[in-house]
Amino acid sequence: MILTVIGNRPQFVKAAAVGTHLRGIGDEVVVHTGQHYDRELSEIFFEELEMAPPAHQLDVGSGTHAEQTAKIMTRLEPVLAEVSPDAVLVYGDTNSTLAAALVAAKLNVPSIHVEAGMRSFDRSTPEEVNRIVADSLGDLLLCSTQTAVDNLVAEGRGPQGRLVGDVMADVAFRFGPIAERRSLILERLELEPGSYAAATAHRAENVDDPANLSRLVTLLTEASRITPIVLPLHPRTRARLEAGGWLEALDNEEGLILVDPLGYLDFTCLLRTAKVVLTDSGGAQKEAYLAGVPCVTMRERTEWVETVESGWNTLVGLDAKAAAAAMHSYAELEDAEPPDPLIYGDGDAGERVAEEIRGWFGSI
Ligand code: UD1
């Protein structure tokens, strides 16, 4: 039996791609840490992606990194001891991933890390620290890209690494067309396809530091004068903008449409029919690439290097001029062939995750 530990938005999407295929191997018990707890960041994903509700809820909520990680560890330990799974399955790079990998290691339960080997080589970000720990402790490391496999080899973790493709791509392929058919987000916001930029911003390094937040505000304001921007506001970002006194000014910007966080189908529809995506999220960079929408990434580095190498993603940090230049340069891509979506797998990564786990169970 596999115990899956998930806690926030991108992990619900990843687990949706894998869960159905695990049924062929044995039981899956899902634990929701409660790192994300608002309906629009959590429950709506289970409904829209047709996932069974989690068997265990840890309800940890927000806190500092240490508080959140410690709470997840303390509450997960007895569940793990009671369920006594054959392995713990974790996804990505969040505090939920870190905490679950540590608890499993301490109880001598093998762990499997999906989206292993991703590196931005920036240890000042919490995600990089979380990935490194999950990969050092993991017994089976399932990678989205060859770059990730190579990173594991460079760290001496090659023997545990396997290339399976990207599980988020599975969901994007499956639900992308459904989102475009079902979502009414464009009608609701009175937008024409291709006439706006879809934006997200929530990374700690961009919103928690007031100087960086001010640069982010400038970037978004200037970019919205080139193309109108729809920005579903992550609760962290809303709170920081409010505290810094920026929210009202942003809301009054004519080209900036601030909305509440969107569910998977609405956000996917918004992204797929956008002219350009502006983001600091890892997942949205890749989803833009898969949808053939150019992306401006508000980070200095990315783990999804293939998107940049292809010319469909540009790293601009928080430099407003660089962002504007990238947006203008994308006019050239309007008649270009869409980028190759298959570099992230052809939609069968979830199945390959299950196959690798089956083979690995046979060997341990
Ligand atoms: C986390 C991940 C990040 C991932 C992101 C996806 C870590 C260290 N970071 O950041 O890698 O890209 O999820 O969204 O794990 N909040 C709410 N409602 C919620 C959840 C959070 O209001 O349902 C607010 C709280 O004020 C909280 C803040 O958002 O303090 C940040 O929450 P946190 O758990 O750190 O997650 P994210 O910032 O979303």
Side-chain angles (χ1 to χ4, degrees), residues 104-318:
K106 298 277 180 174
L107 291 180
N108 288 322
V109 177
S111 70
I112 304 162
H113 185 203
V114 171
E115 214 179 79
M118 303 310 291
R119 294 290 180 271
S120 64
F121 301 100
D122 180 359
R123 288 194 180 200
S124 69
T125 63
E127 291 81 8
E128 186 77 350
V129 175
N130 294 345
R131 293 179 191 119
I132 290 170
V133 176
D135 285 340
S136 326
L137 298 176
D139 297 275
L140 179 64
L141 304 177
L142 301 174
C143 300
S144 304
T145 63
Q146 185 58 42
T147 311
V149 175
D150 297 343
N151 289 337
L152 291 178
V153 171
E155 293 174 16
R157 302 291 290 157
Q160 287 77 20
R162 312 270 190 284
L163 179 62
V164 290
D166 186 60
V167 293
M168 245 185 172
D170 292 17
V171 184
F173 290 141
R174 181 163 160 228
F175 283 94
I178 297 175
E180 282 186 45
R181 274 200 310 274
R182 278 201 212 150
S183 167
L184 297 173
I185 187 70
L186 296 193
E187 287 84 340
R188 179 152 79 80
L189 299 175
E190 297 178 5
L191 290 168
E192 287 299 320
S195 68
Y196 62 89
T200 79
H202 73 272
R203 286 276 154 168
E205 63 267 29
N206 284 350
V207 304
D208 286 359
D209 175 71
N212 284 348
L213 183 61
S214 153
R215 296 181 72 207
L216 176 71
V217 167
T218 306
L219 188 157
L220 291 171
T221 306
E222 291 186 11
S224 74
R225 292 174 186 160
I226 301 171
T227 304
I229 293 179
V230 183
L231 175 63
L233 265 189
H234 188 286
R236 170 197 282 270
T237 311
R238 176 176 288 278
R240 301 296 183 269
L241 287 171
E242 227 159 16
W246 299 104
L247 194 57
E248 209 183 321
L250 270 188
D251 215 6
N252 289 336
E253 258 313 309
E254 209 186 313
L256 254 177
I257 306 159
L258 303 183
V259 297
D260 286 336
L262 299 175
Y264 186 79
L265 295 179
D266 278 346
F267 183 71
T268 298
C269 176
L270 189 76
L271 175 140
R272 285 168 62 99
T273 51
K275 183 175 181 183
V276 60
V277 167
L278 277 144
T279 190
D280 60 6
S281 141
Q285 288 171 54
K286 195 179 41 196
E287 285 164 344
Y289 176 91
L290 293 171
V293 177
C295 183
V296 177
T297 295
M298 300 180 288
R299 288 172 60 189
E300 301 288 346
R301 296 159 192 265
T302 183
E303 307 78 47
W304 304 99
V305 288
E306 303 79 10
T307 59
V308 176
E309 286 159 5
S310 72
W312 286 75
N313 186 12
T314 309
L315 300 175
V316 300
L318 291 172

Side-chain angles (χ1 to χ4, degrees), residues 9-17 45 49 167-168 171 264 287:
R9 201 162 53 170
Q11 293 172 331
F12 308 141
V13 179
K14 292 166 198 171
F45 285 78
L49 299 174
V167 293
M168 245 185 172
V171 184
Y264 186 79
E287 285 164 344

